[in-house]
Amino acid sequence: MPYRKCGRWGLKLPAITLGCWHNFGGDSPTRNQKEMILSAFDHGITHFDLANNYGPPYGSAELNVGKILKELPRDEILITSKAGYDMWPGPYGEWGSRKHMLASLDQSLRRVGVEYFDLFYSHRPDQDSPLDETMGALDTAVRQGKVLYVGISSYSDQMTRDSASICKSNGFAPLTIHQPNYSMLNRWVENGLIDTCGELGLGMIAFCPLFQGLLTDKYLNGIPDGSRASIQNSSLRKNELSDQNIKVIQELNDHSLQRGQSLAQMALSWVLRDQRVTSALIGASTSEQILENVKMFEQAEFSVDELRKIDRILAKINLPKSLWA
Ligand SMILES: NC(=O)c1ccc[n+]([C@@H]2O[C@H](COP(=O)([O-])OP(=O)(O)OC[C@H]3O[C@@H](n4cnc5c(N)ncnc54)[C@H](OP(=O)(O)O)[C@@H]3O)[C@@H](O)[C@H]2O)c1
């Protein structure tokens, strides 16, 4: 497993991080969760990404993963959590107020059963809370010794610049990392954010690098039982799996096989082709998927012609224009 420097900071992240949004809640078998986490660690994945409301039910992923991580040496792993999305009822259960951020952090630490998080994020921008309030809450978390590094997720390019500058001018703990959605099918970060992170010295960890599974071969012949798209009200929407889009995925799959890789491996190599991307934040439902994905490093390089060919294929995809750079 290669480890990449998180922006200008001394912290190194594994180029692949395991996220626990799906398949680690109260509805998933404990044995499978344990197998995924332990085999991830065995293959050099030292970073596990959580948030207050991962489940279902909310909070259960932190409880389950926390129990499993007790089996690993704390100083050899990074544990991440976030606050900002809806977690508990009432006006303090979500968003970016100091009240929510710090109460949520305390709850998350208790659920995971650790004294501190290595990384802690503002999970989404909040138009109603001034940035200095949210950044100030992250700073307090660091000063209280509950968090080592802080970051932001899904903040726009401009809000990222503003946040970093507020931290600097107030003497707050600096931002270390940004967590945006980034994949072959969602390239909004190429419209400025990736340059901004590079310039400000922030690391970038790309979530949903497989577009929740669409950038694998699993949907080429329909929607398999038990897959993410098969779940009712799935976060992977059926229109994203239109016939037109599946044809594009087929073309990508053909190209990946010509490279001697699976499509999942090619999609991860593609996200990591820019060194400013510190880590690809994958999800998984089995340890076999994790093992397949970490093998991407055997064939991670692209020629310029190949990247152009991939762009030509991707131009045929039918997804909202906001996802494109
Ligand atoms: N900051 C934020 O707002 C935010 C938002 C979303 C996610 N995240 C983070 O990002 C993490 C990853 O999100 P994600 O799970 O959507 O990522 P993803 O890597 O794009 O998708 C993961 C899914 O792809 C499928 N998959 C993975 N490897 C495969 C393989 N080799 N072959 C076939 N299928 C494969 C599995 O689907 P099946 O389950 O169908 O098998 C798996 O659950 C989350 O756990 C969370 O930590 C953050």
Side-chain angles (χ1 to χ4, degrees):
M1 171 64 58
Y3 296 86
R4 292 188 175 182
K5 253 168 79 72
C6 186
R8 73 182 190 84
W9 303 98
L11 182 69
K12 288 187 178 134
L13 303 189
I16 292 183
T17 294
L18 181 64
C20 307
W21 175 31
H22 283 260
N23 305 314
F24 289 90
D27 58 342
S28 307
T30 309
R31 203 167 142 185
N32 190 45
Q33 297 178 359
K34 193 166 168 180
E35 212 174 280
M36 285 196 281
I37 288 183
L38 298 186
S39 57
F41 182 70
D42 281 346
H43 288 83
I45 297 182
T46 50
H47 181 200
F48 302 92
D49 185 85
L50 288 156
N52 53 1
N53 65 355
Y54 289 176
Y58 288 177
S60 59
E62 288 187 326
L63 281 168
N64 294 338
V65 172
K67 275 187 209 137
I68 300 166
L69 290 179
K70 287 266 174 303
E71 297 187 24
L72 297 179
R74 181 69 183 93
D75 292 341
E76 293 186 31
I77 57 174
L78 302 174
I79 310 177
T80 291
S81 193
K82 319 184 191 80
Y85 275 101
D86 51 307
M87 180 59 202
W88 64 88
Y92 320 115
E94 60 182 329
W95 295 111
S97 70
R98 186 175 182 80
K99 171 75 176 171
H100 172 70
M101 297 295 296
L102 293 174
S104 183
L105 170 61
D106 284 342
Q107 290 183 17
S108 289
L109 286 169
R110 278 198 295 274
R111 276 191 295 269
V112 181
V114 289
E115 287 174 4
Y116 71 95
F117 287 121
D118 298 277
L119 294 113
F120 185 65
Y121 292 88
S122 161
H123 205 162
R124 58 171 166 175
D126 175 8
Q127 305 301 338
D128 280 344
S129 303
L131 274 177
D132 49 330
E133 179 174 350
T134 308
M135 295 306 119
L138 292 177
D139 175 63
T140 300
V142 172
R143 287 180 198 277
Q144 288 176 337
K146 294 174 181 172
V147 168
L148 300 185
Y149 299 91
V150 291
I152 51 181
S153 179
S154 302
Y155 279 44
S156 69
D157 183 20
Q158 189 56 51
M159 281 186 93
T160 301
R161 285 185 182 277
D162 294 345
S163 305
S165 130
I166 282 169
C167 291
K168 197 164 186 182
S169 56
N170 288 284
F172 291 164
L175 292 175
T176 309
I177 193 161
H178 194 305
Q179 186 176 130
N181 195 326
Y182 182 44
S183 69
M184 282 179 163
L185 301 180
N186 184 343
R187 297 174 67 166
W188 74 278
V189 305
E190 293 175 9
N191 217 2
L193 183 66
I194 197 163
D195 293 331
T196 295
C197 287
E199 185 190 317
L200 298 175
L202 268 72
M204 179 182 277
I205 177 163
F207 74 75
C208 299
L210 301 173
F211 206 85
Q212 299 200 53
L214 184 54
L215 284 167
T216 71
D217 58 8
K218 75 183 316 160
Y219 295 112
L220 291 178
N221 299 303
I223 299 179
D225 283 347
S227 63
R228 191 170 304 178
S230 73
I231 301 165
Q232 221 183 356
N233 300 322
S234 170
S235 48
L236 182 54
R237 288 178 285 275
K238 299 281 184 295
N239 64 340
E240 293 168 341
L241 282 79
S242 65
D243 289 350
Q244 180 184 341
N245 287 351
I246 295 301
K247 266 194 209 151
V248 175
I249 301 301
Q250 181 68 62
E251 272 192 68
L252 289 172
N253 191 59
D254 293 345
H255 182 72
S256 70
L257 296 179
Q258 279 168 27
R259 277 170 59 84
Q261 263 187 327
S262 70
L263 176 52
Q265 291 167 339
M266 181 173 85
L268 295 173
S269 306
W270 185 92
V271 159
L272 290 166
R273 75 198 185 291
D274 187 323
Q275 287 295 320
R276 292 172 299 180
V277 178
T278 320
S279 188
L281 173 48
I282 63 164
S285 59
T286 63
S287 54
E288 287 76 20
Q289 289 176 350
I290 296 171
L291 301 193
E292 176 186 330
N293 297 345
V294 295
K295 285 203 185 123
M296 58 142 282
F297 298 106
E298 291 169 11
Q299 175 72 356
E301 303 301 318
F302 292 93
S303 69
V304 174
D305 282 350
E306 226 184 325
L307 289 173
R308 285 201 192 111
K309 179 178 172 192
I310 290 171
D311 280 346
R312 283 197 298 276
I313 299 174
L314 290 173
K316 297 180 221 163
I317 203 87
N318 184 13
L319 288 170
K321 287 278 172 279
S322 57
L323 303 184
W324 291 88

